[in-house]
Amino acid sequence: FDASAMLNPFVENRSLAGAVAAVVDKRGMLSLDTVGYSDIAAGKRMKSDAVFWIASMSKPITCTALMMLVDEKKLRVLDPVEKYLPEFKGQWLVAEQDADYVLLKKPRHPITVANVLSHTSGMPFSTPVEAPTLDRLPLRTAIRSYAMTPLQFEPDTKYQYSNCGTNTAGCIIEAVSGVPYEKFMQERLFEPLGMK
């Protein structure tokens, strides 16, 4: 497998600065390719040990960890979030809004674990409490701001990419497992898979 042949056209047309691509299976590293630059202005070529901000790649990892708890029958994806995080009980939904007022109503049903995993909860991308930097608050503080923020649409009626939803899933992992999110991820996912 030669990832560089697939990725180089993106570097050449300037839609990708650079990348490191690894193909791994149970036998080990099958391929490790680098393309492009880690610093275009300085002409610094990408190295295989480059460090990246993983950003939203934590979303599928969080979902994987939560689904491990589903497999262990410690929670169900159709359960309401409020079963695990009581601060979500009685959440509101924006019915109407303009520059002068906001009319709230109760949603038809509370958001579910499935809603936060699939970005169909009605939760916004982020809340004002998280400004100006998304990841500066402790998880529990961010979660309280999500529970206090009215939903933007009825759960299950629309897709809207939401950091709030995935962070909520992380907090559900803490509530169900009884250990901090970071510790759960390290002990139950990263170490057993040899992820460094």
Side-chain angles (χ1 to χ4, degrees), residues 133-158:
T133 306
L134 276 177
D135 299 325
R136 70 178 177 81
L137 296 176
L139 186 57
R140 289 304 275 169
T141 303
I143 293 304
R144 282 192 287 281
S145 79
Y146 308 156
M148 295 185 316
T149 301
L151 301 175
Q152 296 181 334
F153 56 87
E154 285 282 357
D156 292 317
T157 63
K158 184 177 165 184

Side-chain angles (χ1 to χ4, degrees), residues 25-108:
D25 74 3
K26 63 184 173 186
R27 295 169 290 178
M29 182 83 64
L30 302 179
S31 167
L32 180 63
D33 298 296
T34 61
V35 297
Y37 301 88
S38 60
D39 185 338
I40 294 173
K44 186 176 176 186
R45 301 288 303 175
M46 185 64 70
K47 293 183 178 180
S48 62
D49 64 350
V51 176
F52 296 88
W53 179 45
I54 66 169
S56 289
M57 291 314 303
S58 61
K59 287 177 173 59
I61 293 170
T62 298
C63 292
T64 299
L66 190 138
M67 293 306 293
M68 290 167 62
L69 294 170
V70 170
D71 286 347
E72 295 167 4
K73 309 258 188 276
K74 294 182 178 169
L75 73 135
R76 295 176 341 119
V77 293
L78 296 180
D79 285 341
V81 168
E82 64 190 39
K83 178 176 180 179
Y84 306 102
L85 304 174
E87 53 268 52
F88 280 87
K89 193 168 186 65
Q91 200 167 25
W92 291 92
L93 165 73
V94 174
E96 293 180 37
Q97 182 174 5
D98 70 18
D100 296 322
Y101 79 98
V102 176
L103 178 63
L104 301 175
K105 69 177 187 176
K106 289 290 184 187
R108 288 189 285 260

Side-chain angles (χ1 to χ4, degrees), residues 65 69 139-140 169-188:
L69 294 170
L139 186 57
R140 289 304 275 169
C171 204
I172 292 169
I173 290 168
E174 288 188 344
V176 171
S177 70
V179 298
Y181 171 81
E182 296 87 351
K183 184 175 182 184
F184 184 92
M185 299 302 279
Q186 188 64 36
E187 292 177 356
R188 297 287 313 276

